[in-house]
Amino acid sequence: MLQNTMSVKDFVKFGRKVVAVGRNYRAHAAELGNPVPTEPLLFLKPSSSFLEEGGSIVVPSRCTEVHYEVELGVVIGTGGKNIPESSALSHIGGYTLALDMTAREIQSEAKKKGHPWSVAKGYDTFCPVSSFIEKEKIVLEDCHLWLKVDGEMKQNGSTKNMIYSVPYLISYISAIFTLEPGDVIITGTPEGVGPVKPGQTLTAGIEGVLEMTFPVVSA
Ligand code: MG
């Protein structure tokens, strides 16, 4: 069985879903003119959108405005259904730093029409991730995430400003989707999102833990 032989460190290869949380930081909801949600706002990104370091983020030809969103990714180690918030931390296998790349103009159009965000969020290369981060290296209550475009700081936030905590999200999500080893939850972005163009380079990091670099190219 896959489950018995895989390591969650190989989440890019074996992870079956990426559950994304929208508007989990007040300042980011406000910058896009969105209300703060009264319960977690969830969407899925296909695992085919994963991109590992060494690869390039590809801007599809039909996209005019692709945005970066730096997010802490939680890699599930032990799966479960209806996981209580009190034991949620024991289901975490480790972490990854993720970029929730978004075709903003496609998403804006979808929002107006009440359509899903799958296209805006789901293109190949739209989920660049760092290598696996050992669980002990992350202080969940105050983990500093940053992102630069061509060396210029654009996002610089802390998980302490999340609306819904990671244990709450694991509990909430697992009541809907069974969480499986290698699944990734990307937990929302702090403020400062913006467009990136082919030819530019994104660098992102978790303070004191790691940084990663991805060039952006056209299709
Ligand atoms: Mg996001």
Side-chain angles (χ1 to χ4, degrees):
M1 290 291 291
L2 177 66
Q3 196 154 321
N4 294 333
T5 55
M6 68 168 280
S7 160
V8 292
K9 292 181 182 176
D10 292 330
F11 66 94
V12 171
K13 206 167 165 188
F14 298 117
R16 303 212 306 171
K17 59 186 172 294
V18 179
V19 183
V21 182
R23 303 174 195 165
N24 199 26
Y25 291 77
R26 274 186 187 77
H28 168 63
E31 75 181 343
L32 293 181
N34 291 314
V36 171
T38 52
E39 61 181 320
L41 171 62
L42 305 181
F43 58 93
L44 297 172
K45 287 170 86 87
S47 55
S48 49
S49 64
F50 276 136
L51 174 70
E52 293 182 87
E53 279 182 280
S56 299
I57 298 165
V58 179
V59 174
S61 49
R62 71 177 276 203
C63 296
T64 54
E65 194 180 349
V66 171
H67 277 203
Y68 50 79
E69 299 185 356
V70 69
E71 312 202 359
L72 178 67
V74 176
V75 181
I76 297 298
T78 308
K81 175 84 179 165
N82 294 320
I83 298 168
E85 195 176 339
S86 57
S87 59
L89 291 176
S90 69
H91 289 261
I92 298 175
Y95 299 91
T96 184
L97 182 63
L99 303 182
D100 175 19
M101 301 305 295
T102 304
R104 192 70 75 199
E105 87 286 4
I106 295 176
Q107 187 198 30
S108 301
E109 206 50 40
K111 277 189 207 163
K112 276 186 225 155
K113 293 178 177 165
H115 288 178
W117 297 357
S118 308
V119 173
K121 296 283 193 176
Y123 278 99
D124 287 1
T125 77
F126 270 26
C127 194
V129 286
S130 73
S131 55
F132 180 80
I133 301 166
E134 306 291 332
K135 189 172 178 177
E136 310 73 53
K137 291 192 178 158
I138 296 294
V139 180
L140 260 189
E141 296 72 24
D142 190 12
C143 169
H144 289 254
L145 311 174
W146 57 266
L147 178 139
K148 295 176 182 176
V149 178
D150 287 344
E152 189 185 332
M153 189 70 84
K154 298 288 188 182
Q155 292 192 273
N156 194 1
S158 166
T159 56
K160 72 178 181 206
N161 294 316
M162 281 183 176
I163 297 170
Y164 297 107
S165 71
V166 167
Y168 184 87
L169 290 171
I170 290 173
S171 178
Y172 183 91
I173 291 167
S174 71
I176 303 164
F177 309 124
T178 294
L179 288 172
E180 301 166 283
D183 284 350
V184 178
I185 300 171
I186 58 172
T187 55
T189 193
E191 73 273 26
V193 303
V196 64
K197 298 268 184 237
Q200 292 187 308
T201 299
L202 295 179
T203 313
I206 299 178
E207 207 177 283
V209 178
L210 57 65
E211 63 177 69
M212 62 184 190
T213 297
F214 289 95
V216 180
V217 300
S218 57

